[in-house]
Amino acid sequence: HVRLVESGGGLVQAGGSLRLSCVASPRNIRNFGMAWFRQVPGQDRELVAGISKNGNNIYYRDSVKGRFTISRDIAQNTVYLQMSDLKPEDTAVYYCAADDTGLTSVVRPTGGSYEFWGQGTQVTVSA
């Protein structure tokens, strides 16, 4: 198993930036496909960005392309989500997730495919 701890959320004005961090322990993040999901109360959890186990396949939902970047620091065992040009519609609780059983080259699109989850971090973007 793996423990995931998120940080970096907060309150920011529209057009601003935040960087979310997800620290994994004790297993190496090379063993997992990693993803960021977000959820608004009363709505379904949605995939924001993901990176495959081998690092060669990256996914972004259309609404964040050009604004968000997912990356890995293998030495720090950490996955990041750099968010720029934030919009009020980005307001949500953001969750880090790890996919143990998926193939090394894929990003799986549904939350049910991910076995391990962080506690979530709130991102609020004011108009």
Side-chain angles (χ1 to χ4, degrees), residues 97-119:
D99 175 7
D100 193 7
T101 61
L103 297 175
T104 60
S105 61
V106 302
V107 176
R108 297 207 276 180
T110 59
S113 298
Y114 294 78
E115 292 90 355
F116 305 103
W117 294 83
Q119 80 285 354

Side-chain angles (χ1 to χ4, degrees), residues 17-116:
S17 299
L18 288 171
R19 188 181 73 162
L20 306 184
S21 299
C22 174
V23 180
S25 63
R27 295 180 62 188
N28 197 290
I29 59 173
R30 288 191 180 98
N31 296 318
F32 303 94
M34 302 296 297
W36 289 94
F37 289 79
R38 66 187 181 189
Q39 188 167 26
V40 176
Q43 300 183 15
D44 291 338
R45 184 175 51 198
E46 63 183 20
L47 176 63
V48 179
I51 184 167
S52 61
K53 288 181 180 180
N54 61 13
N56 292 334
N57 190 2
I58 293 176
Y59 167 86
Y60 300 100
R61 70 183 301 109
D62 286 344
S63 62
V64 308
K65 287 180 178 177
R67 300 189 297 119
F68 290 12
T69 302
I70 187 170
S71 62
R72 305 187 302 181
D73 186 329
I74 299 299
Q76 296 297 317
N77 215 31
T78 300
V79 178
Y80 300 97
L81 185 67
Q82 175 66 49
M83 305 184 294
S84 299
D85 191 24
L86 283 161
K87 304 177 184 298
E89 52 263 42
D90 296 317
T91 295
V93 177
Y94 284 70
Y95 297 92
C96 180
D99 175 7
D100 193 7
T101 61
L103 297 175
T104 60
S105 61
V106 302
V107 176
R108 297 207 276 180
T110 59
S113 298
Y114 294 78
E115 292 90 355
F116 305 103

